Amino acid sequence: MIAILKPGAAQAQIDSLKEWLIAQGLDVHISVGKYQTIVGLVGNTSKIDIDLLSGLEIVESVKRISDPFKNANRKFHPDDTIVDCGGAKVGGGNFAMIAGPCSVESEEQILEVARAVKAAGATMLRGGAFKPRTSPYDFQGLKADGIELLLEAKRETGLPIVTEIMNANHLPLFEDVDVIQVGARNMQNFELLRELGRTRKPILLKRGLANTLKELLMSAEYIMAGGNENIIFFFRDTATSEIYTRNTLDVSAIPMLHELSHLPVVADPSHATGLSRLVKPMALAAAAAGADGLMIEVHSNPAKALCDGPQSLTPEQYADVAAAVARLRETL
Amino acid sequence: MIAILKPGAAQAQIDSLKEWLIAQGLDVHISVGKYQTIVGLVGNTSKIDIDLLSGLEIVESVKRISDPFKNANRKFHPDDTIVDCGGAKVGGGNFAMIAGPCSVESEEQILEVARAVKAAGATMLRGGAFKPRTSPYDFQGLKADGIELLLEAKRETGLPIVTEIMNANHLPLFEDVDVIQVGARNMQNFELLRELGRTRKPILLKRGLANTLKELLMSAEYIMAGGNENIIFFFRDTATSEIYTRNTLDVSAIPMLHELSHLPVVADPSHATGLSRLVKPMALAAAAAGADGLMIEVHSNPAKALCDGPQSLTPEQYADVAAAVARLRETL
Amino acid sequence: MIAILKPGAAQAQIDSLKEWLIAQGLDVHISVGKYQTIVGLVGNTSKIDIDLLSGLEIVESVKRISDPFKNANRKFHPDDTIVDCGGAKVGGGNFAMIAGPCSVESEEQILEVARAVKAAGATMLRGGAFKPRTSPYDFQGLKADGIELLLEAKRETGLPIVTEIMNANHLPLFEDVDVIQVGARNMQNFELLRELGRTRKPILLKRGLANTLKELLMSAEYIMAGGNENIIFFFRDTATSEIYTRNTLDVSAIPMLHELSHLPVVADPSHATGLSRLVKPMALAAAAAGADGLMIEVHSNPAKALCDGPQSLTPEQYADVAAAVARLRETL
Amino acid sequence: MIAILKPGAAQAQIDSLKEWLIAQGLDVHISVGKYQTIVGLVGNTSKIDIDLLSGLEIVESVKRISDPFKNANRKFHPDDTIVDCGGAKVGGGNFAMIAGPCSVESEEQILEVARAVKAAGATMLRGGAFKPRTSPYDFQGLKADGIELLLEAKRETGLPIVTEIMNANHLPLFEDVDVIQVGARNMQNFELLRELGRTRKPILLKRGLANTLKELLMSAEYIMAGGNENIIFFFRDTATSEIYTRNTLDVSAIPMLHELSHLPVVADPSHATGLSRLVKPMALAAAAAGADGLMIEVHSNPAKALCDGPQSLTPEQYADVAAAVARLRETL
């Protein structure tokens, strides 16, 4: 950690700061320059409140050099984490093919999709039961009934299931769910993250549209601080001002997250652009960049889907994408 | 609502779409062009699921022309809404001066600040009891004890109090709180919004860093759909790639929200830039642009504040800003 | 084109607008609703000045439905354009491997790199002679001497050469250059684009950091309006607020540009993230998404490069990336 | 300047780096930590090429602590610069009211606007002769004839004139122009900036939509490095993903630029939002935040303006805004 002092800082103030920092157990190195003085801090700086230090009258700015995340940090955990999702492994060379409809709509629909994606090589089934929608007037999901239908599809196909949680009070309903998804808008719902840290369920943690990788890592840290280390990063995109594509698939986040953390990374090419005809090139791009899995929306009849139809693939299109991804992964 | 059809759409498909739309109670106007066909829909289009329509095979894109928000829309409610916050009115010419520390830290601290800001002209006291922090290792607030201390400050000074909620399960603790704040990271925590819609408490709804005004209006709609119309918009900024200022205070949001909605708008010049020396010019700018109030962080000893110290004003600095804002509002 | 009229528009004004539009040769369809009136315009709307129409007193907003770009539009030119760059073809299945140093530094340096990248499979040599640098105090390139050295490398290796232009007055120096690059900061230097439209040189047109695809297409239109159809789109990234990676490689731009336009698309994985260790995954991702080529920075001694060292590969690393890309392209 | 070394850096390499840095005339302070080693550099670091240093094998990252801009820096020039624009002063308490049409369209039009804005209190006349337009098919300005008409308006009203340059080759046409504007898209057209540095004309330098304040300061540095210190910063906005307002007026840039630099800052409330009804609140906000002037678009008949009509004020509206701004400035 580095603190830059203001030009006019009095020697007495600098001395008192130095004393206080040493009392916190840090090594302090001071470089005095003509226009500024730099204080280098070495040791366990994670206990120093950066806001407190920045707020001191003589301090111009503070820069953290070491990472504020510990449990998710690859530096302290060099090997890839492999998350076991009801039998389907993700990370450390294990690739997840998660597929299913945006929303669970009916028994017939979810069973049909589940059978089709299993046949095409999917390793997990995903379907929305609780749906976060921008408008209170849009379809909000089948809720508890939706989870029941997913469990039925699991019994029939053997595919582990993934579904999104929106409220920690609903946790009892997720007892038999294999992977709990945290949506982009809840990435910094810290109360929810903390509750999920008390479970041992695999968590698919989605990056918010305008959140940095560091914020994503800190949200993982909230869950891990509670003892739950079964986290899979999940992301689609970053907000830009582009209009043709809904958003931008931030492919560079994949190798960067792998460098910063030992946790697996799954990409969502369906939501990334919001256009089904771009799902295949984006899926291939994410796999080529080293993703540990792909979540792709599949619907037997995308034109009739109750939400997000335009970005869903038909089962036939999914089979084509899955085969292309498999070929590409063999080559790499 | 406008639907653009794909170049090759068959007449039979167009006819069947038209029939279906008419069955929804809409007037349908079709303009056939060489490269595209445009379908204009007039009537109550709020019941049409835009995703469903977009997903139809023959549809290239759909554009909503009328606003998807109703309760918050000025078109249907031309007069300014005035929200009564425990006696302090906001909107329709009533200006709110909300002040207080980022976090409630101790009885002594909150009483000292409360007395000081009241003397300087504040109309409400704000203090954080539950604190959303990016890192699980940072100070998370005094929680229930913090609310107790705020209530004590209210009893002593008579100032109505504002504090942030992070979890709907905590609502019983907010019984005597005058205004409940929803933080930027919870702006799209729809479960929380829905619960707040069941209360009749004034809600200070903060715009998320990367959320559009339309999304903010739709979040208000979630609360209003439950019958709670006591909403005050609150915003600080929009994420940009600027580095000198933490973020950009989006002053243009003030007149734009006033045009779109009848609800009052309060600005937060403290968090906007994260620098106390910019609070005064930003407060004046927001007032000049027509804000209905300002929330400003004040701490008796900013250098020792447990969070967000760098952006807090001392009580003396706050009195100076409050006086300048009052002069400016008289002039306008 | 769609014009939305204001609620109170008088019939006489609407009639006079209709008349004027018909006089422009357009078909006009008017849908009158309770809260708004929609005017649909069908025909050659590219001659209508959208600003003029928007500015009319009775008009609330105008939406262009058809694309404002013509020459670059795939709708009017369905086949892929293949650009011949001094013998190396790009587009329509022809893949460009462009490589070389950020700056030409010396005869020895450029010859060494040229030989090395040719051996590794590069099809074109790129080197900067005129360098746009944010600071006037940074190295600005060898200028005319740099071009001379590139031509020498071309004579020795046979590789066509690519280099950036910053000023149309320098065009005579580019007589023997095979491909002229327009940098990101000059993407909307319309005076320069117009001059390049008068040449018949292949132009590598780079997307600006905050420019939309539509703006990129319109900049191509500036060049094509002058009769030069030899354009290759080139892009690296889009500005976001991410800090770990310098920027985000917008891989989705590749299939989207292919859909909108017949011109080839080359990606720049080196500048995208600014980190050499991310070049390989980003190169593979871009190739998987369907890019028509890759430009990769290679330097014999990246640590000593006069600019952009951190993102340059050594010749050995480049050979490894080139081989992996070739394998991946065979698979697809 | 701070360099962070990689964990495994060998002592010999560290020593050799230290030696080299000392040879560059710097004081070097090294702090060795368990996970990293920090090298603090004090002295004239502006000569160190940050890319070169970053590229060294043992260096993980480099952070510049001192500002890379010198001539524009308030630290080295504490007093406000006052720029004399043909008699109208800007900065150091002198407020500029620049007004006029987006484009010069005809003799009658420019004379009418010039007289009207002068009567309303404008101190300079602005009109576009060379117009940067996104589409090559849109009106590009009257060019040399437009400048002639501006000069005629200057002779008649005595108002100094401001107009935009797009090509350094046009400089001879600007001989009698009082202030030369550099548009947002040319902010990093370094060749143009360098040419303008050779003149002594006041330059109104506009911030690009996605450029940081630091980049704006570095562009000023390009002009100042040539000896021209007559620079006025000019800005409208920052790109965001907001859709209701075209862009966001970054009001916080005003006090921040004043802190970083001694040069005056003028705001453009007309282009900021693109909506004439928001010009007044935005003008007041900019003045309240401490701007040194405002540029506002005025057209006698906005509905018929050849470009940017929707954001132009009528002369009557301008007189109203000018009076409100004057009252507000008196109060502050």
Side-chain angles (χ1 to χ4, degrees), chain C residues 189-199 222-223 226, chain D residues 131 136 140 143 166:
Chain C
N189 181 339
F190 302 126
E191 292 281 319
L192 177 61
L193 299 179
R194 219 188 294 273
E195 288 296 326
L196 295 174
R198 295 203 184 99
T199 74
Y222 260 95
I223 301 172
Chain D
K131 299 298 305 171
Q140 312 274 327
K143 302 177 184 174
M166 289 178 63

Side-chain angles (χ1 to χ4, degrees), chain D residues 16-313:
Chain D
S16 115
L17 172 63
K18 186 174 172 178
E19 226 169 83
W20 177 72
L21 290 167
I22 290 171
Q24 311 295 312
L26 300 172
D27 283 351
V28 181
H29 301 255
I30 300 190
S31 312
V32 181
K34 195 172 166 195
Y35 292 111
Q36 62 201 344
T37 294
I38 298 166
V39 180
L41 306 177
V42 182
N44 179 6
T45 59
S46 72
K47 286 184 183 164
I48 299 287
D49 190 318
I50 199 165
D51 290 320
L52 179 60
L53 191 56
S54 306
L56 295 176
E57 209 186 316
I58 60 169
V59 174
E60 189 174 299
S61 64
V62 177
K63 289 173 203 282
R64 215 181 252 290
I65 307 294
S66 62
D67 308 318
F69 52 100
K70 301 292 164 201
N71 289 302
N73 201 325
R74 192 180 279 275
K75 276 184 196 153
F76 309 118
H77 185 311
D79 295 332
D80 286 350
T81 282
I82 297 172
V83 178
D84 188 321
C85 305
K89 294 204 166 90
V90 188
N94 301 283
F95 198 79
M97 286 295 286
I98 310 173
C102 170
S103 287
V104 179
E105 296 165 22
S106 68
E107 186 180 358
E108 191 197 347
Q109 172 243 20
I110 192 68
L111 288 178
E112 190 179 342
V113 174
R115 285 183 212 116
V117 300
K118 190 181 182 187
T123 60
M124 287 190 240
L125 175 68
R126 182 254 186 179
F130 292 92
K131 299 298 305 171
R133 301 299 301 268
T134 310
S135 166
Y137 311 125
D138 285 348
F139 175 60
Q140 312 274 327
L142 295 182
K143 302 177 184 174
D145 292 346
I147 294 185
E148 273 314 308
L149 294 176
L150 281 170
L151 290 172
E152 195 182 324
K154 176 184 174 179
R155 280 188 295 271
E156 192 178 311
T157 60
L159 289 175
I161 59 173
V162 185
T163 196
E164 181 169 347
I165 195 165
M166 289 178 63
N167 187 331
N169 295 344
H170 298 158
L171 261 174
L173 296 171
F174 287 70
E175 189 92 11
D176 297 320
V177 167
D178 299 285
V179 180
I180 300 178
Q181 181 182 333
V182 174
R185 298 189 188 87
N186 277 320
M187 192 199 94
Q188 292 194 315
N189 181 340
F190 301 126
E191 292 282 318
L192 177 61
L193 299 179
R194 219 189 293 273
E195 288 296 326
L196 295 174
R198 295 204 183 98
T199 74
R200 292 297 173 268
K201 289 273 183 200
I203 307 296
L204 199 60
L205 178 64
K206 195 158 195 172
R207 180 182 179 183
L209 246 81
N211 288 109
T212 60
L213 295 184
K214 188 177 141 188
E215 287 168 336
L216 176 62
L217 289 158
M218 293 312 296
S219 287
E221 207 70 19
Y222 259 95
I223 301 171
M224 297 177 97
N228 185 356
E229 308 212 325
N230 299 307
I231 296 171
I232 302 167
F233 290 123
F234 183 43
F235 76 99
R236 54 187 206 190
D237 47 24
T238 300
T240 66
S241 36
E242 182 50 58
I243 41 176
Y244 281 117
T245 47
R246 190 163 68 177
N247 287 296
T248 296
L249 183 71
D250 181 7
V251 176
S252 63
I254 300 168
M256 190 42 88
L257 280 172
H258 278 158
E259 185 171 314
L260 295 166
S261 176
H262 49 91
L263 298 169
V265 181
V266 166
D268 174 354
S270 299
H271 282 88
T273 64
L275 297 167
S276 65
R277 60 191 189 275
L278 295 192
V279 171
K280 188 176 178 180
M282 290 302 98
L284 291 170
D292 298 297
L294 295 170
M295 183 190 278
I296 293 178
E297 282 196 8
V298 180
H299 196 283
S300 317
N301 189 346
K304 291 234 174 92
L306 290 183
C307 75
D308 282 348
Q311 71 209 21
S312 288
L313 300 188

Side-chain angles (χ1 to χ4, degrees), chain B residues 67 69 207 212-214 238 240-242 244-245 247-252 255-256 259-260 273 275 277-278 281-282 284-285 288-289 327-328 331-332, chain D residues 67 69 207 212-214 238 240-242 244-245 247-252 255-256 259-260 273 275 277-278 281-282 284-285 288-289 327-328 331-332:
Chain B
D67 308 318
F69 53 100
R207 179 182 181 183
T212 61
L213 295 184
K214 187 176 144 190
T238 301
T240 66
S241 36
E242 182 50 59
Y244 281 116
T245 48
N247 287 295
T248 295
L249 183 71
D250 180 8
V251 175
S252 63
M256 191 41 89
E259 185 171 314
L260 296 166
T273 63
L275 297 168
R277 62 190 187 273
L278 295 192
M282 290 302 98
L284 292 170
R327 275 197 309 276
L328 181 143
T331 308
L332 294 179
Chain D
D67 308 318
F69 52 100
R207 180 182 179 183
T212 60
L213 295 184
K214 188 177 141 188
T238 300
T240 66
S241 36
E242 182 50 58
Y244 281 117
T245 47
N247 287 296
T248 296
L249 183 71
D250 181 7
V251 176
S252 63
M256 190 42 88
E259 185 171 314
L260 295 166
T273 64
L275 297 167
R277 60 191 189 275
L278 295 192
M282 290 302 98
L284 291 170
R327 276 197 309 276
L328 181 142
T331 307
L332 295 178

Side-chain angles (χ1 to χ4, degrees), chain A residues 149-209:
Chain A
L149 295 175
L150 281 170
L151 290 171
E152 195 182 323
K154 177 185 174 178
R155 279 188 295 272
E156 192 177 312
T157 60
L159 289 174
I161 59 172
V162 185
T163 196
E164 181 169 348
I165 195 165
M166 288 178 63
N167 188 330
N169 295 343
H170 299 158
L171 261 175
L173 296 170
F174 287 70
E175 190 90 11
D176 297 320
V177 167
D178 299 285
V179 180
I180 301 178
Q181 181 183 333
V182 174
R185 298 188 187 89
N186 278 320
M187 192 199 93
Q188 293 194 313
N189 180 340
F190 302 125
E191 292 281 319
L192 177 61
L193 299 179
R194 218 189 294 274
E195 288 296 326
L196 295 174
R198 296 205 183 97
T199 74
R200 291 298 173 268
K201 290 273 182 200
I203 307 296
L204 199 60
L205 178 64
K206 195 159 194 171
R207 179 183 180 182
L209 246 81

Side-chain angles (χ1 to χ4, degrees), chain C residues 23-315:
Chain C
Q24 311 296 311
L26 299 173
D27 283 350
V28 181
H29 300 255
I30 300 192
S31 313
V32 180
K34 194 172 165 196
Y35 292 110
Q36 61 202 347
T37 294
I38 297 167
V39 181
L41 306 177
V42 181
N44 180 6
T45 59
S46 73
K47 284 182 181 163
I48 298 288
D49 190 317
I50 199 165
D51 290 320
L52 180 60
L53 191 56
S54 306
L56 295 176
E57 210 185 314
I58 60 168
V59 174
E60 189 174 297
S61 64
V62 177
K63 288 173 203 283
R64 214 181 254 291
I65 306 295
S66 62
D67 308 318
F69 52 100
K70 302 291 165 203
N71 290 302
N73 201 326
R74 192 179 280 273
K75 278 185 195 152
F76 310 118
H77 185 310
D79 294 332
D80 285 349
T81 282
I82 298 172
V83 179
D84 187 321
C85 305
K89 294 203 166 92
V90 188
N94 301 283
F95 198 80
M97 286 295 285
I98 310 172
C102 170
S103 290
V104 179
E105 295 166 21
S106 68
E107 185 180 358
E108 191 197 345
Q109 174 244 20
I110 192 67
L111 288 178
E112 188 179 343
V113 175
R115 284 183 212 118
V117 299
K118 190 181 182 187
T123 61
M124 286 190 240
L125 175 67
R126 181 254 189 182
F130 292 92
K131 300 298 305 171
R133 301 299 301 267
T134 309
S135 165
Y137 311 124
D138 286 348
F139 175 61
Q140 311 275 328
L142 294 182
K143 302 175 184 177
D145 292 346
I147 293 185
E148 273 315 309
L149 295 176
L150 281 169
L151 290 172
E152 194 182 325
K154 176 184 175 179
R155 280 189 295 272
E156 191 178 312
T157 60
L159 289 174
I161 59 173
V162 185
T163 195
E164 180 169 350
I165 195 166
M166 288 178 64
N167 188 329
N169 296 343
H170 298 158
L171 261 174
L173 296 171
F174 287 70
E175 190 90 12
D176 297 320
V177 167
D178 299 284
V179 180
I180 300 179
Q181 181 183 334
V182 174
R185 297 187 188 90
N186 277 321
M187 191 199 95
Q188 292 194 315
N189 181 339
F190 302 126
E191 292 281 319
L192 177 61
L193 299 179
R194 219 188 294 273
E195 288 296 326
L196 295 174
R198 295 203 184 99
T199 74
R200 292 297 173 269
K201 288 275 182 198
I203 307 297
L204 199 61
L205 178 64
K206 194 158 195 173
R207 179 182 181 183
L209 246 81
N211 288 108
T212 61
L213 295 183
K214 186 176 143 189
E215 288 168 336
L216 177 62
L217 289 158
M218 293 312 296
S219 288
E221 207 71 17
Y222 260 95
I223 301 172
M224 297 176 96
N228 185 355
E229 308 213 324
N230 300 306
I231 295 171
I232 302 167
F233 291 123
F234 184 42
F235 76 100
R236 52 184 207 194
D237 47 23
T238 301
T240 66
S241 36
E242 182 50 57
I243 42 176
Y244 280 117
T245 48
R246 189 163 69 177
N247 287 296
T248 295
L249 183 71
D250 181 7
V251 175
S252 62
I254 300 169
M256 190 42 89
L257 280 172
H258 279 158
E259 185 171 314
L260 296 166
S261 176
H262 50 90
L263 298 169
V265 182
V266 166
D268 174 356
S270 300
H271 282 88
T273 63
L275 296 168
S276 64
R277 61 191 187 274
L278 295 192
V279 170
K280 188 176 178 180
M282 291 303 98
L284 291 170
D292 298 297
L294 295 170
M295 184 190 278
I296 294 178
E297 281 196 9
V298 180
H299 196 285
S300 317
N301 189 348
K304 292 235 174 93
L306 290 181
C307 75
D308 282 347
Q311 71 209 22
S312 288
L313 300 189
T314 61

